[in-house]
Amino acid sequence: MTASNAYRLRPSRRLATLRVCSLGLAIGLLAAASAAGATSPGQQASAAPVAATAAQGVSVSNIDFRRGEDGAGRLIVRFDGQGATPDLRNQGDTVVVDVGNATLPASLQRPLNVVDFATPVQRVEAQSRAGGTQLVLSTRGDFESLAYQSGNEYVVETVPRAGQRAGGGASATAGTSSSAVVAAAQKIAPEARRYSGRPVTFNFQDVPVRTVLQLIAEESNLNIVASDTVQGNVTLRLVNVPWDQALDIVLRAKGLDKRRDGAVIWVAPQPELAKFEQDKEDARIAIENREDLVTDYVQINYHSASAIFKALTEAKGGGNSGGGGGTGNNQNENGFLSQRGRLVADERTNTLMISDIPKKIAQMRELIAVIDRPVDQVLIEGRIVIATDSFARDLGAKFGLQGRRQGDRTQAIGGSLGGNTSIINDGVFVRDVEGDTATDGLNLNLPAGTFTTNPAASIAYTLLGRNFNLDLELSALQEEGRGEVISNPRLVTTNQREAVIKQGREVGYLTITGSGGGGNAAVPTVQFKEALLELKVIPTITDDNRVFLNLNVKKDEVLRFISLGQFGQVPELARREINTAVLIEDGQTVVIGGVYEFSDRASVAKVPFLGDIPFLGNLFKKKGRSKEKAELLIFVTPKVLRVAERR
């Protein structure tokens, strides 16, 4: 294991060293250029093919664009060989990448429209310039660009600034339906990981990984401890990349991982770290297996010990599912007890007995304290209002003209043949042949009574002559009725527990079994039908102080009894029922259902032609008018009764 201390080499000294190296490199390049100018034309001609061959050794194999985390645009350029030297620079609203020693195939020399990705990059143009490759990224809005190279892959990321991440995507994708979906998905996506380290720029060509880790340690002011198995070289080109992201890139490139403890970072291959953590866990389990067991008793106050026992032992499908007095025979499959732990539930005292190591018992006590606590209650008040309004009016008339003339032949006039017979035989004043009605002598019989049920008020006039009798009776009745029935059921129940309240009666009726013929006697049986006011509800209290109600409200009423002759009577019920689910504020009253009925009827019964005569035609017709209005409203008011302790 080797350690790299960030304080052994300050960034200022390293920057000074880099400046000296850069100055030496510049002097060397000038000397090389002077030597090249002094060579003969033949030598220059011979060097040209060599440079062309080197330039043709690397070419671009693929250009891809993707959407990265937090709305960043990611351009990925892959080369078919090693040794590509990209150069990144910003020019206003564009990002230009020049790769002077890599050729671009003709199939990749095309523009890419990337507006639908909802990133700062709107367009990517790939073109060949002076034997090399140039990529131009047209952007929109404020952004930050960074780039890194790993092997034969070069990545350019364009990240929107903090103020542009919320609304930049929507404005960049206006007018496209697919980009609207991307913008909606961006709003609900989880918070992406963000790097907060200071940006660094590295250009490594086949440099040992341990050296790169030492440079990152100097930039981060952290201590990096590298395992002895960290070996190999890496080629990277990082431009304006946070140091913590650069560290992750290096670790991923070499199959390494890290563990941080305060200001110290341990770097090792992933299998080595996994084996270390597995050995550490095995050692912890071995220590627990050698620890002495203790027994503890937990009193259950607000729940059932058997229910909690079942929940703890069947958490992952293992354990004993028995009731009180049972033990967990297979509890090493769940995560609440150790392999040697045991759990027993006593229904008589509502107590849980736990036998395990002290650490597990403390965890079980904490878990049971979360489960065993009082539950809030809900008071549900319902109100069922049935309002009726009825109006009925009947107007009618009946009159009769009776007369008799005697001579060589007798003549009679009346309301019917029976009435005429009565007149001829018994006299003018006898108008009833059947003995139960007095309508035989009436010519017109249209009394009030179509819509109304009560006896109608009437006024009669009789004119007696020597040989005739004139009867006239006008009847009229108007009925009005208003009614209101209010039912107010209420009940209290705990959270997520069903509650039912009923009030009403059972109506009996006869049913006949058997035909009554062929020796099979008919057997009457009395059965009952419920006519109830019922409220059934399951409340659920939400975290935002509202109540979700699953409701069933029923209001039945006996309208009348239908006679079936010798089989007795059967009831006719008016049913009113609603089954719904609703979310209501605590203490708020809402109408969960309602039915409104309105009927308007009118009728006219008249003698043809005579009933159409103005004014006088009222004596030859009967009129009626009826209006009925019925309204059903169901109100519900939930009130939360706080019992549980707020956490």
Side-chain angles (χ1 to χ4, degrees):
M1 307 283 289
T2 60
S4 299
N5 195 329
Y7 296 97
R8 292 187 304 175
L9 184 60
R10 295 294 182 181
S12 59
R13 295 179 53 191
R14 188 171 61 83
L15 292 176
T17 305
L18 292 177
R19 292 192 185 97
V20 173
C21 294
S22 300
L23 181 59
L25 180 61
I27 295 175
L29 291 176
L30 291 175
S34 301
T39 55
S40 61
Q43 292 176 345
Q44 294 179 3
S46 62
V50 176
T53 303
Q56 293 177 357
V58 181
S59 63
V60 178
S61 61
N62 187 31
I63 299 176
D64 190 12
F65 187 85
R66 301 176 184 175
R67 176 185 169 86
E69 296 178 347
D70 210 10
R74 178 176 296 178
L75 178 66
I76 303 174
V77 183
R78 292 184 179 88
F79 304 97
D80 61 357
Q82 302 291 336
T85 58
D87 181 34
L88 175 70
R89 67 180 187 274
N90 294 337
Q91 294 181 352
D93 293 338
T94 60
V95 178
V96 181
V97 179
D98 290 322
V99 190
N101 62 339
T103 59
L104 182 65
S107 59
L108 298 179
Q109 297 182 16
R110 64 181 186 275
L112 300 177
N113 188 354
V114 295
V115 174
D116 290 344
F117 286 91
T119 67
V121 183
Q122 306 295 300
R123 183 183 178 88
V124 178
E125 294 185 4
Q127 51 191 351
S128 179
R129 289 289 180 89
T133 301
Q134 186 180 70
L135 302 173
V136 180
L137 287 72
S138 301
T139 62
R140 181 176 181 179
D142 295 336
F143 64 92
E144 297 177 355
S145 62
L146 55 91
Y148 55 88
Q149 181 180 359
S150 177
N152 61 346
E153 187 174 275
Y154 183 71
V155 179
V156 179
E157 288 194 5
T158 306
V159 183
R161 297 187 185 273
Q164 298 291 329
R165 289 171 183 170
S171 61
T173 59
T176 59
S177 58
S178 59
S179 59
V181 177
V182 175
Q186 182 183 3
K187 294 180 181 179
I188 63 175
E191 186 68 18
R193 179 182 177 185
R194 298 178 180 177
Y195 295 99
S196 58
R198 187 176 59 172
V200 295
T201 299
F202 291 148
N203 188 358
F204 302 137
Q205 297 290 334
D206 200 20
V207 177
V209 177
R210 307 175 73 88
T211 303
V212 177
L213 295 177
Q214 182 175 356
L215 294 176
I216 294 177
E218 295 176 3
E219 292 291 342
S220 62
N221 290 335
L222 294 176
N223 297 314
I224 297 181
V225 179
S227 175
D228 293 337
T229 54
V230 177
Q231 302 293 336
N233 298 342
V234 65
T235 298
L236 289 175
R237 179 180 175 85
L238 308 177
V239 180
N240 199 23
V241 178
W243 68 261
D244 46 356
Q245 185 180 8
L247 177 61
D248 287 346
I249 293 172
V250 173
L251 297 182
R252 287 199 302 265
K254 302 303 294 183
L256 304 174
D257 204 349
K258 68 179 185 297
R259 297 293 183 269
R260 181 168 179 172
D261 185 6
V264 179
I265 298 178
W266 177 30
V267 177
Q270 294 178 355
E272 183 177 339
L273 289 177
K275 184 177 183 304
F276 170 79
E277 293 177 348
Q278 182 64 41
D279 294 342
K280 184 178 179 181
E281 182 66 18
D282 293 342
R284 183 189 64 79
I285 295 175
I287 294 174
E288 289 182 354
N289 291 335
R290 291 193 298 268
E291 193 172 355
D292 294 336
L293 299 180
V294 296
T295 302
D296 197 1
Y297 306 91
V298 181
Q299 178 67 41
I300 306 301
N301 299 316
Y302 306 102
H303 215 292
S304 171
S306 301
I308 295 181
F309 167 82
K310 186 177 181 180
L312 294 179
T313 55
E314 293 186 349
K316 290 188 178 180
N320 190 350
S321 60
T327 58
N329 298 327
N330 193 23
Q331 294 173 2
N332 55 353
E333 293 186 7
N334 62 52
F336 299 114
L337 293 175
S338 64
Q339 295 181 358
R340 298 182 297 160
R342 295 169 62 86
L343 182 65
V344 179
D346 183 29
E347 291 183 353
R348 186 178 62 87
T349 59
N350 205 34
T351 304
L352 286 177
M353 291 168 281
I354 309 172
S355 177
D356 210 328
I357 62 176
K359 177 182 177 181
K360 285 293 184 180
I361 289 180
Q363 294 177 356
M364 290 289 289
R365 274 192 167 275
E366 183 179 357
L367 179 60
I368 294 173
V370 175
I371 300 175
D372 183 31
R373 59 176 180 174
V375 182
D376 290 336
Q377 297 179 348
V378 182
L379 169 64
I380 298 98
E381 180 180 0
R383 183 172 298 174
I384 305 172
V385 180
I386 304 174
T388 59
D389 189 357
S390 62
F391 170 81
R393 181 175 60 194
D394 284 321
L395 298 176
K398 57 182 180 179
F399 65 88
L401 177 64
Q402 302 174 3
R404 181 176 61 179
R405 183 169 180 264
Q406 295 179 343
D408 54 352
R409 54 181 179 271
T410 302
Q411 298 179 357
I413 182 172
S416 63
L417 293 178
N420 291 342
T421 303
S422 175
I423 293 172
I424 293 172
N425 295 331
D426 300 325
V428 175
F429 303 104
V430 179
R431 300 181 300 276
D432 192 351
V433 176
E434 300 174 353
D436 56 351
T437 62
T439 59
D440 290 334
L442 296 179
N443 302 101
L444 179 65
N445 185 17
L446 295 175
T450 302
F451 296 112
T452 57
T453 58
N454 294 315
S458 61
I459 183 172
Y461 172 76
T462 300
L463 177 63
L464 296 176
R466 178 181 178 184
N467 295 320
F468 70 92
N469 180 19
L470 175 62
D471 292 333
L472 175 63
E473 180 179 324
L474 301 178
S475 60
L477 180 65
Q478 178 172 320
E479 292 181 352
E480 294 184 10
R482 290 180 177 85
E484 188 175 54
V485 179
I486 299 178
S487 304
N488 188 206
R490 62 179 63 187
L491 52 84
V492 178
T493 182
T494 57
N495 188 25
Q496 295 184 345
R497 291 290 298 270
E498 184 183 44
V500 180
I501 185 172
K502 297 180 180 180
Q503 186 267 334
R505 62 172 177 162
E506 290 187 346
V507 183
Y509 59 96
L510 285 177
T511 59
I512 306 298
T513 58
S515 61
N520 188 9
V523 178
T525 304
V526 179
Q527 294 187 357
F528 292 89
K529 186 69 174 178
E530 291 184 340
L532 300 175
L533 166 64
E534 180 180 1
L535 173 61
K536 184 185 299 183
V537 60
I538 302 176
T540 301
I541 303 174
T542 62
D543 292 337
D544 54 355
N545 201 32
R546 292 189 288 181
V547 183
F548 180 80
L549 298 178
N550 196 339
L551 282 166
N552 180 266
V553 184
K554 184 186 299 184
K555 178 69 170 68
D556 296 338
E557 183 181 355
V558 180
L559 289 181
R560 58 174 179 164
F561 287 88
I562 302 175
S563 178
L564 300 180
Q566 62 178 348
F567 300 107
Q569 296 178 334
V570 294
E572 180 182 356
L573 301 180
R575 300 200 50 149
R576 304 174 182 93
E577 183 177 3
I578 182 172
N579 190 356
T580 184
V582 61
L583 183 63
I584 311 175
E585 297 286 345
D586 181 16
Q588 181 184 6
T589 301
V590 297
V591 181
I592 63 173
V595 177
Y596 180 79
E597 296 180 356
F598 178 77
S599 63
D600 188 356
R601 292 177 295 173
S603 67
V604 176
K606 63 182 178 179
V607 177
F609 305 110
L610 297 178
D612 296 331
I613 300 174
F615 301 107
L616 187 60
N618 293 325
L619 298 176
F620 299 92
K621 63 183 175 182
K622 178 177 67 173
K623 295 190 298 183
R625 183 71 180 270
S626 173
K627 291 184 179 180
E628 294 181 359
K629 207 165 42 170
E631 188 172 8
L632 169 66
L633 295 176
I634 301 177
F635 301 84
V636 172
T637 304
K639 297 179 181 178
V640 178
L641 307 179
R642 295 295 180 185
V643 178
E645 180 182 355
R646 296 292 93 188
R647 293 180 180 268

